[in-house]
């Protein structure tokens, strides 16, 4: 008996052991039929989580991007080879098969579980399930074992800032979308008998309640590749294997333990409560995650934000000044006893020492050690001053602009500046407005292209590069439409014009990654820009998905009182931050009243947090937490390096526009040359407005440049007169020099301070004193070359006829003299073309090339003068001759979504090498919304050697380039004819 009992015990033990072995050896086979959301959930971490617990599994995913239940069913009906089949085998090896059929995948393994899901945008719309799900389920069951369980994958709501078009189905509200998904999931479980639900959506929502915040997505809808995907995989693991995922030893490499803990708990609670959010706010890490540079940026932001008091948050959203201000309209005093918690300072110094002392105060004397962001207006240079931006646009060379901005970034960053308030991309069509000097002219596309170039130059490949600074697009938006060219005044802009003219440069430049924007001073059709929720939030945030910082212009928040929008400074602050202005520049509204506004619930805490979040994100992106201080270097190594000066000279040369030439230029073998005028021996006024820290000692004066160029000629100088006034005592000397000379170079124009901010001029002709001098010099009968220095297009009047040649040099900065002299001598062939129209008369203003067609094209002209401009957009002469061949296109019948290649041969028929800019315009004969007579869509500038022919080629997108935009910002393409115009050639395309 004893032997029998022992045998039975051993037998039972062996049976139990065998059962344990079988349980451990059980293989779970899972097939997900979905799209990118199922890929996010099962393809990266699920196998590893199972393996860590000794579970064997085979995991596969049937992928089609954005695939709905309807499409799955159609694929099944047609037995289509439409899927990418991704499979992880027992050995952990990943294999992929393209062009897979659903039926084949269903038969590939003896699946234990097969999951289905709806496409994310429809996941909360239950009516989108019912027409397709029953038949799809029957189809799947016809291929699988009765033991196979069908399970439902619950997808997640989008990030609150998502710009996915389907988010609008849920009012762009994350919790509304989540609730809709839960309701639909409950119904589908009840109606169709799914065995299990995988609560990925709830797991993601749970994680959003932790310090991770609303940072679970990489693009607003797909999951973050590390902790986002891990969260979903944890929900899958616990549901399928019945084991708590909390404490699972597997986590992605280098994933922070605090993140592992939070995401595992979020998934665990989701499995326990699959249809409701569990608030895990209390799950806070003990250590300061924001100081760990290995963590994802958004996690660091959320961790820091969660530790801040309301007082600390408020101070972050204010900008004061530090140092000496040399800009007339922005003069400020150095802030005394600056709070260590201040968010930003405008730094007017050129040495990093004071800046570093201020930064040390912030890092060491504030509770959390948040670094200060230092900004400055480096508009067209810091110490190496490039031509004004309007001139840069006339170069039609974005590469040069990018290079110039890169040099500015280098000089600026090494001086302690992290952020420049540039580029200005306001479309400007009224030359009376002084700030036309700061932008890229009258065309939206041109402003966008050069805005992109400036952003690339300032920001480089990475914002945390030691020589990169953050760019700031300004002035958002419509500032250039100021009535009658007067600064700061009302602008009447329809929604249609806003979208087709003033917004495009911003949308284009944001695609290049611009870190920030500045709100403008103007009132847009009754709603000031700095309180305009439509432009600041509905367009910028909701439609375009911009996550960066919005700073007000200097005092713009306070000026809402002057604009009769706000009754006092407190209300001004409320309006501004609720509309979308994150940082208050020098209005002292936020620092005085924002805390009070939050406590009164006039500003939601979430609005305050979002603004602080945007600022903190930029500081992390710039690497200020890791490298808060600027190394001290010698000025000679920072400023005006030889390569920088050379780049400035090249920009000057390519920016200058030859407006008139009767053959006098280039000058050959001139014996006696008179250089006359107030600009000839002037240094400072060559800098133009916003000259940064340019110094007069660095400036190459025109007289010196001409004297150095024409060494074989005798050169005499006479000032003649000042820029303005009535003093003609210098006329006599000028006349004597003119009579002596073979050729006279007249250097006339505007002082540098006559353009820029708060420099509107009703009269944009040359001052009378200069005109009288020009008239007397012309009367000598000598050949006269007029060299113009100005920050805006001028009405030139009689001086055109009094000149044999006119060279528009603009305000070229520190290094333009050599370019002027080189063009006069012929060493340089002028290649600049106008980016802004020169009016014939002030009465024509505004006048620009891309106007809309008249109801009576042969009538409506001025009775007392010509109706066409003096020099149109795109105009500019050369010393050589170009001829354009016929246009050709890769296809002439087009359809929506296609691209077309257009080319034209351009020959240099002259005797000199030259650079030619080719402009491609689109003209639409008819449209549901009338379009400009022509619109610039592409341009290219290339060197063409004499006798050479070069083919210029452009690729156009039918939707983007041949379509148009409506008053809601929606692109549309009309069927019909479109004309492409290059030079004097036209090619007709047809869109079907």
């Amino acid at each position: 008996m004893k032997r029998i009992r022992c045998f039975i015990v051993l037998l039972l033990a062996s049976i139990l052991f065998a059962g344990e072995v079988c349980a451990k050896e059980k293989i779970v086979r899972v097939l997900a039929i979905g799209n990118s959301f199922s890929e996010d959930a099962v393809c990266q971490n699920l196998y590893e989580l199972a393996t860590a617990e000794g579970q064997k599994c085979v995991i596969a995913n049937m992928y089609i991007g954005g695939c709905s239940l309807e499409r799955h069913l159609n694929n099944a009906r047609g037995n289509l080879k439409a899927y990418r089949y991704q499979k992880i085998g027992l050995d952990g090896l990943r294999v992929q098969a393209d062009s897979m059929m659903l039926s084949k995948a269903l038969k590939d393994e003896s699946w234990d579980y097969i999951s289905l899901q709806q496409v994310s945008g429809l996941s909360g719309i239950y009516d989108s399930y019912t027409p397709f799900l029953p038949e799809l389920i029957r189809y799947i069951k016809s291929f699988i074992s009765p033991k196979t369980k069908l399970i439902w994958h619950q997808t997640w709501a989008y990030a609150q800032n998502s710009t996915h078009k389907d988010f609008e189905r849920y009012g762009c509200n994350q919790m509304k979308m989540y609730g809709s998904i839960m309701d639909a999931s409950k119904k589908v479980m009840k109606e169709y008998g799914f065995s299990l639900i995988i609560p990925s959506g709830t797991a993601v929502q749970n994680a959003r309640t932790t310090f991770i915040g609303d940072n679970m997505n990489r693009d607003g809808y797909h999951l973050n590749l590390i902790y986002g995907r891990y969260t979903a995989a944890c929900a899958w693991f616990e549901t399928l294997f019945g084991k708590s995922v909390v404490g699972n030893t597997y986590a992605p490499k280098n994933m922070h333990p605090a993140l592992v803990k939070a995401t595992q708990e979020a998934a665990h609670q989701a499995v326990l409560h699959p249809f409701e959010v569990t608030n895990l706010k209390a799950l806070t890490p003990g250590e300061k995650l924001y100081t760990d540079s290995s963590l994802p940026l958004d996690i660091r932001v959320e961790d820091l934000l969660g530790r801040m008091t309301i007082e600390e948050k408020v101070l972050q959203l204010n900008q004061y000044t530090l140092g000496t201000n040399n800009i007339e309209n922005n003069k400020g005093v150095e802030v005394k006893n600056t709070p260590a918690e201040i968010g930003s300072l405008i730094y007017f110094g050129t040495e990093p020492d004071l800046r570093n002392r201020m930064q040390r105060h912030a890092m060491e004397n504030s509770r959390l050690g948040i670094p200060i962001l230092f900004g400055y207006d480096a508009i067209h240079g810091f110490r190496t001053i490039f031509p004004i931006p309007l001139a840069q646009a006339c170069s039609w060379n974005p590469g040069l602009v990018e290079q110039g901005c890169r040099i500015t970034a280098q000089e600026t960053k090494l001086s302690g500046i992290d952020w420049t308030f540039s580029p200005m991309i306001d479309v400007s069509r009224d030359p009376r407005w002084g700030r036309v000097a700061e932008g890229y002219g009258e065309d939206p596309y041109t402003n966008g292209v050069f805005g992109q170039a400036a952003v690339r130059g300032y920001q480089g490949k990475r914002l945390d590069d030691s020589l990169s600074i953050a760019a700031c697009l300004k002035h958002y938006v419509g500032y250039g439409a100021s009535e009658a060219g007067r600064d700061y005044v009302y602008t009447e802009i329809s929604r249609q014009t806003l979208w087709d003219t003033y917004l495009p440069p911003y949308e284009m430049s944001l695609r290049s990654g611009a870190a920030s924007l500045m709100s403008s001073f103007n009132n847009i059709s009754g709603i000031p820009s700095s309180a305009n929720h439509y432009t600041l939030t509905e367009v910028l945030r909701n439609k375009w998905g911009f996550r960066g910082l919005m700073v007000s212009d200097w005092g713009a928040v306070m000026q809402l009182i002057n604009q009769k929008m706000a009754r006092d400074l407190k209300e001004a602050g409320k309006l501004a931050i609720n509309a979308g202005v994150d940082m208050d520049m020098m209005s002292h509204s936020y620092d005085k009243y924002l805390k009070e506004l939050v406590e009164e619930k006039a500003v939601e805490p979430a609005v305050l947090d979002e603004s602080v979040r945007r600022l903190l994100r930029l500081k992390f992106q710039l690497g200020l937490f890791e490298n808060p201080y600027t190394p001290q270097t010698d000025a000679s190594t920072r400023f005006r390096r030889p390569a920088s000066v050379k780049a400035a000279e090249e920009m000057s040369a390519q920016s200058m526009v030859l407006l008139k030439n009767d053959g006098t230029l280039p000058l050959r073998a001139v014996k006696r040359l008179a250089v006359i005028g107030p600009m000839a021996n002037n240094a400072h006024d060559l800098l133009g407005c916003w000259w940064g820290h340019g110094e007069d000692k660095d400036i190459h004066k025109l007289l010196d440049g001409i004297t150095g160029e024409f060494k074989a000629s005798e050169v005499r100088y006479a000032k003649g007169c000042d820029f303005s006034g009535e003093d003609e005592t210098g006329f006599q000397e000028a006349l004597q020099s003119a009579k002596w000379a073979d050729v006279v170079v007249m250097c006339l124009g505007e002082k540098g301070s006559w353009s820029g901010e708060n420099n509107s001029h009703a009269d944009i002709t040359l001052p009378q004193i200069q005109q009288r001098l020009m008239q007397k010099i012309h009367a000598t009968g000598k050949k006269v070359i007029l060299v113009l220095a100005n920050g805006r297009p001028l009405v030139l009047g009689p001086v055109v006829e009094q000149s044999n040649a006119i060279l528009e040099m603009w305000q070229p900065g520190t290094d333009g003299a050599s370019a002027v002299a080189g063009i006069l001598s012929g060493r340089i062939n002028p290649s600049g073309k106008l980016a802004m129209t020169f009016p014939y008369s002030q009465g024509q203003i505004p006048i620009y090339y891309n106007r809309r067609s008249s109801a009576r094209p042969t009538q409506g002209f001025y009775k007392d003068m010509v109706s066409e401009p003096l020099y149109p957009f795109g105009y500019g002469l050369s010393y050589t001759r170009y001829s354009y061949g016929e246009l050709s296109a890769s296809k002439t019948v087009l359809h929506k979504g296609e691209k077309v290649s257009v080319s034209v041969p351009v020959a240099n028929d002259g005797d000199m090498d030259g650079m030619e800019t080719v402009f491609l315009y689109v003209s639409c004969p008819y449209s549901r919304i009338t379009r400009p007579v022509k619109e610039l869509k592409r341009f290219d500038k290339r060197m063409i050697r004499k006798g050479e022919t070069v083919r210029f080629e452009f690729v156009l997108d039918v939707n983007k380039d041949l379509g148009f935009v409506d008053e809601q910002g929606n692109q549309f393409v009309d069927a019909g004819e479109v004309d492409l115009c290059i030079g004097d050639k036209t090619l007709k395309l047809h869109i079907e």
Side-chain angles (χ1 to χ4, degrees):
M1 278 300 287
K2 188 174 182 181
R3 279 184 170 185
I4 293 172
R5 285 197 300 269
C6 287
F7 175 76
I8 292 171
V9 169
L10 288 172
L11 180 62
L12 290 171
S14 65
I15 291 170
L16 289 171
F17 177 76
E20 263 187 322
V21 171
C22 288
K24 289 182 179 178
E25 292 297 319
K26 177 176 172 58
I27 300 170
V28 176
R29 293 174 168 84
V30 184
L31 172 65
I33 300 172
N35 46 47
S36 56
F37 274 38
S38 60
E39 181 181 54
D40 274 351
V42 304
C43 289
Q44 190 163 310
N45 301 297
L46 180 55
Y47 178 87
E48 289 80 4
L49 284 165
T51 302
E53 290 290 333
Q55 298 284 350
K56 292 190 174 183
C57 58
V58 175
I59 299 168
N61 182 54
M62 289 289 274
Y63 168 86
I64 299 176
C67 192
S68 63
L69 290 171
E70 179 181 11
R71 187 173 177 186
H72 284 308
L73 180 57
N74 289 334
N75 292 338
R77 288 169 175 170
N79 210 22
L80 301 180
K81 298 179 179 179
Y83 294 90
R84 184 173 72 202
Y85 184 52
Q86 303 155 300
K87 182 178 176 181
I88 308 172
L90 287 171
D91 54 5
L93 293 178
R94 286 165 163 79
V95 294
Q96 179 174 306
D98 295 326
S99 302
M100 189 71 160
M101 294 183 295
L102 183 55
S103 59
K104 187 175 181 180
L106 291 169
K107 294 184 289 185
D108 187 46
E109 295 273 355
S110 296
W111 302 109
D112 295 293
Y113 300 102
I114 294 177
S115 73
L116 287 171
Q117 66 185 57
Q118 178 59 295
V119 65
S120 63
L122 298 174
S123 57
I125 313 295
Y126 185 68
D127 288 345
S128 71
Y129 293 42
T130 51
F132 316 108
L133 196 52
E135 184 180 346
L136 182 60
I137 291 173
R138 288 195 298 271
Y139 176 86
I140 292 170
K141 286 184 174 180
S142 69
F143 290 96
I144 60 176
S145 164
K147 295 181 180 179
T148 301
K149 295 179 180 179
L150 290 183
I151 60 178
W152 185 254
H153 182 211
Q154 173 201 94
T155 57
W156 46 89
Y158 298 159
Q160 185 56 54
N161 63 5
S162 176
T163 57
H164 196 292
K165 65 181 186 304
D166 286 335
F167 202 23
E168 295 176 3
R169 296 176 185 271
Y170 310 95
C172 294
N173 184 297
Q174 184 184 92
M175 288 309 297
K176 183 177 180 181
M177 185 177 184
Y178 171 76
S180 298
I181 294 171
M182 296 306 104
D183 290 343
S185 297
K186 290 176 185 176
K187 288 179 181 178
V188 82
M189 292 294 291
K190 180 179 179 181
E191 294 293 328
Y192 298 105
F194 284 93
S195 301
L196 294 170
I197 187 163
I198 310 291
S200 295
T202 297
V204 168
Q205 207 62 38
N206 288 346
R208 286 171 172 153
T209 69
T210 72
F211 61 87
I212 298 172
D214 194 11
N215 296 298
M216 292 296 291
N217 309 91
R218 62 184 186 268
D219 54 11
Y221 43 102
H222 293 111
L223 291 178
N224 170 277
L225 293 175
I226 302 174
Y227 57 86
R229 284 185 165 184
Y230 182 70
T231 303
C234 286
W236 277 76
F237 168 81
E238 185 161 327
T239 303
L240 294 177
F241 296 100
K243 293 186 177 182
S244 173
V245 75
V246 176
N248 190 293
T249 58
Y250 167 75
K253 186 178 180 181
N254 298 325
M255 186 169 166
H256 196 281
L259 280 174
V260 175
K261 181 179 179 182
T263 51
Q264 287 184 351
E265 186 64 31
H268 174 64
Q269 292 298 327
V271 175
L272 296 178
H273 312 286
F275 301 110
E276 61 185 65
V277 178
T278 302
N279 193 322
L280 300 176
K281 186 177 181 179
L283 200 66
T284 56
E287 59 185 301
K288 293 181 178 180
L289 298 185
Y290 73 90
T291 62
D292 187 342
S293 61
S294 69
L295 283 170
L297 182 148
D298 286 328
I299 299 301
R300 300 177 71 188
V301 170
E302 291 305 316
D303 179 64
L304 177 53
L305 184 64
R307 298 172 188 274
M308 296 173 71
T309 65
I310 187 171
E311 292 83 3
E312 290 166 332
K313 292 174 183 179
V314 166
L315 274 172
Q316 280 294 305
L317 300 183
N318 289 271
Q319 186 177 64
Y320 302 161
T321 62
L322 180 70
T324 303
N325 188 344
N326 68 345
I327 303 301
E328 182 65 28
N329 285 345
N330 286 0
K331 282 187 175 177
V333 295
E334 181 174 353
V335 177
K336 301 295 184 182
N337 301 318
T338 304
E341 296 82 6
I342 192 67
S344 180
L345 293 170
I346 303 174
Y347 183 52
F348 296 110
T350 60
E351 295 294 331
D353 178 62
L354 175 60
R355 181 258 193 208
N356 285 343
R357 291 203 305 269
M358 188 67 240
Q359 189 73 290
R360 188 166 288 107
H361 177 48
M363 299 301 293
E364 297 178 0
N365 298 329
S366 68
R367 185 176 69 91
L368 296 171
I370 303 174
I372 297 169
L373 176 64
F374 292 88
Y376 181 70
D377 286 286
I379 306 302
H380 55 110
F382 191 75
R383 269 286 298 276
T384 303
I385 307 302
F386 290 81
I388 58 172
L390 180 58
Q392 294 181 29
C394 296
S395 74
W396 298 99
N397 192 331
L400 276 182
V401 171
E402 181 177 344
Q403 181 185 20
C405 291
R406 194 71 196 145
I407 291 166
T408 298
Q410 168 251 307
E411 292 189 351
T412 304
K413 187 63 174 274
L414 292 177
S415 300
I417 307 299
D418 313 299
W419 182 26
T420 180
F421 307 125
S422 174
M424 188 188 103
I425 51 175
D426 295 315
V427 173
S428 310
R429 292 167 169 175
D430 192 330
R432 295 172 298 183
W433 188 50
R435 303 199 81 163
V436 299
E438 301 174 48
Y440 301 110
E442 68 189 49
D443 177 65
Y445 176 73
T446 304
N447 273 276
V449 170
F450 284 109
Q452 290 177 323
V455 170
R456 291 193 301 268
Y458 289 135
Q459 297 188 176
K461 294 182 179 179
R462 289 179 57 91
L463 275 172
D464 59 359
D465 183 272
S466 62
L467 298 179
S468 289
I469 59 177
C472 183
L473 307 177
K474 67 180 190 183
H475 307 83
Y476 188 77
V477 57
Y479 187 28
S482 295
E483 283 188 342
R486 294 174 57 208
D487 219 341
Y488 316 120
V489 302
Y490 180 82
T491 57
E492 181 56 55
I493 307 173
S494 70
R495 284 283 171 92
Q496 180 61 44
T497 301
L498 186 69
W499 275 104
D500 67 38
T501 300
Y502 295 103
L503 286 172
Y506 290 92
E507 187 174 14
M508 290 176 65
S509 299
L510 286 174
R511 288 201 295 266
S512 288
S516 66
L517 285 88
M518 178 184 289
S519 68
S520 54
F521 291 124
N522 58 301
N523 182 334
I524 306 173
S525 299
I527 308 295
S529 172
S530 294
N532 199 306
H533 189 271
Y534 177 74
T535 56
L536 293 171
T537 296
E538 293 175 48
V539 174
L540 184 65
R541 306 294 184 182
N542 298 346
K543 194 172 184 72
W544 291 347
F546 178 62
R547 299 183 71 200
L549 182 69
M550 173 64 73
V551 62
S552 79
D553 206 336
W554 184 290
V557 175
M558 176 175 59
Q559 286 159 200
L560 294 174
I561 303 171
N562 299 335
Q563 292 171 309
K564 311 302 182 184
M565 185 75 174
R567 69 171 61 89
D568 52 31
L569 192 58
K570 180 179 179 180
E571 186 176 29
K574 180 189 77 171
L575 291 170
I577 196 164
N578 283 334
V581 175
D582 301 314
M583 178 173 283
D584 175 5
M585 182 194 289
M586 293 304 294
S587 283
H588 294 286
S589 172
Y590 288 8
D591 54 4
K592 290 181 180 178
Y593 299 112
L594 189 49
K595 178 186 176 184
E596 188 177 327
L597 287 165
V598 172
E599 290 171 345
E600 293 172 352
K601 296 184 171 29
V603 174
E604 290 295 327
V607 171
L608 172 65
D609 284 354
E610 187 57 37
S611 289
V612 176
R613 185 178 287 117
R614 291 164 185 157
L615 174 60
L616 295 179
R617 185 181 295 117
L618 179 55
K619 291 183 177 185
F620 279 114
Q621 288 172 329
L622 285 163
L624 290 176
F625 283 82
E626 285 69 52
N627 299 291
Y629 306 112
T630 301
Q632 188 74 47
T633 55
D634 188 78
S636 63
T637 65
R638 282 184 280 143
F639 303 140
R640 295 189 58 74
R641 297 173 178 177
S644 302
V645 173
K646 184 177 180 181
E649 290 177 344
E650 182 63 25
M651 174 63 79
S652 297
Q654 293 199 33
S655 298
M656 295 177 185
V657 184
L658 185 61
L659 297 176
K660 179 181 178 180
N661 187 20
D662 65 1
T664 299
L665 291 178
L667 297 176
R668 306 291 192 192
V670 176
K671 293 182 179 180
R672 295 187 299 275
L673 195 60
V675 182
I676 298 172
M679 189 60 73
N681 200 33
N682 180 294
H684 185 76
D685 289 300
L686 292 172
L687 295 177
C689 59
W690 296 102
W691 62 86
H693 291 286
E695 296 187 3
D696 289 4
K697 66 182 179 64
D698 296 329
I699 301 169
H700 298 163
K701 294 187 286 188
L702 299 184
L703 180 60
D704 295 338
I706 292 170
T707 302
E709 185 80 19
F710 292 90
K711 291 185 172 65
S713 304
E714 185 178 353
V715 179
R716 288 188 183 179
Y717 159 71
K719 182 177 181 181
C721 66
D722 207 338
F723 285 94
S724 59
E726 298 297 327
D727 186 359
E728 297 184 1
T729 56
F731 278 24
Q732 188 59 39
E733 181 187 7
L735 285 169
Q736 288 176 354
S737 296
K739 292 174 182 177
W740 162 85
D742 299 319
V743 178
V744 179
V745 178
M746 292 293 292
C747 303
L748 307 178
E750 296 183 312
K751 291 177 69 68
S753 59
W754 288 1
S755 58
E757 186 176 347
N758 196 26
N759 269 302
S760 301
H761 287 247
D763 184 357
I764 57 169
T765 60
L766 284 171
Q768 289 299 310
I769 187 73
Q770 295 188 48
Q771 290 194 47
R772 291 199 296 271
L773 176 63
M774 182 69 179
Q775 184 178 13
K776 290 184 179 296
I777 298 299
H778 169 68
T780 65
K782 297 300 179 74
K783 288 186 177 294
V784 177
I785 300 166
L786 174 59
V787 177
L788 288 169
N790 39 289
R792 54 164 58 84
L794 298 175
V795 172
L796 296 176
V799 301
V800 175
E801 296 301 321
Q802 295 164 0
S803 307
N804 296 91
I806 303 176
L807 177 64
E808 175 58 84
M809 72 168 180
W810 304 105
Q811 287 155 341
T814 48
D815 304 285
S818 174
V820 170
I823 290 174
L824 296 181
S825 71
R827 173 173 56 84
I828 297 172
N829 189 351
S831 62
K833 295 181 185 292
L834 294 178
M836 191 170 182
T837 299
F838 270 58
Y840 178 84
S841 165
Q842 291 172 151
Q844 295 177 321
I845 299 171
I847 186 168
Y848 46 95
Y849 90 93
N850 50 347
R851 62 192 183 278
R852 281 179 163 85
S853 296
S854 168
R856 294 187 176 184
T858 60
Q859 293 180 272
F861 301 116
Y862 294 117
K863 301 297 185 181
D864 55 346
M865 71 176 73
V866 297
S867 294
E868 294 303 310
L870 177 63
Y871 299 119
F873 176 88
Y875 175 85
L877 302 176
S878 171
Y879 292 154
T880 191
R881 302 182 310 279
Y882 302 103
S883 60
Y884 285 55
E886 296 299 323
L887 277 65
S888 61
S890 57
K891 59 182 81 172
T892 56
V893 178
L894 307 171
H895 300 87
K896 294 178 184 179
E898 292 183 341
K899 293 185 178 180
V900 59
S901 176
V902 180
S903 65
V904 62
V906 181
N908 184 341
D909 301 325
D911 300 322
M912 183 181 288
D913 297 345
M915 298 188 75
E916 173 70 341
T917 300
V918 173
F919 300 99
L920 186 155
Y921 296 95
V922 168
S923 179
C924 188
Y926 47 86
S927 173
R928 75 179 84 163
I929 297 173
T930 62
R931 297 172 62 168
V933 291
K934 60 179 183 178
E935 307 160 52
L936 183 65
K937 292 298 181 182
R938 295 288 188 275
F939 62 85
D940 189 17
K941 186 174 188 176
R942 295 168 66 179
M943 171 63 72
I944 308 178
R945 305 295 178 187
K946 60 182 179 180
E948 182 183 23
T949 297
V950 171
R951 181 168 288 276
F952 288 74
E953 186 168 342
F954 306 96
V955 177
L956 299 177
D957 182 288
V958 171
N959 290 9
K960 293 179 182 178
D961 300 314
L962 303 185
F964 204 52
V965 65
D966 66 17
E967 64 178 6
Q968 298 302 322
N970 300 313
Q971 291 284 143
F972 67 88
V973 180
D974 282 335
E977 295 177 348
V978 174
D979 294 328
L980 303 184
C981 310
I982 297 180
D984 59 349
K985 309 298 182 184
T986 301
L987 177 66
K988 192 174 293 294
L989 304 179
H990 188 82
I991 301 174
E992 292 186 341

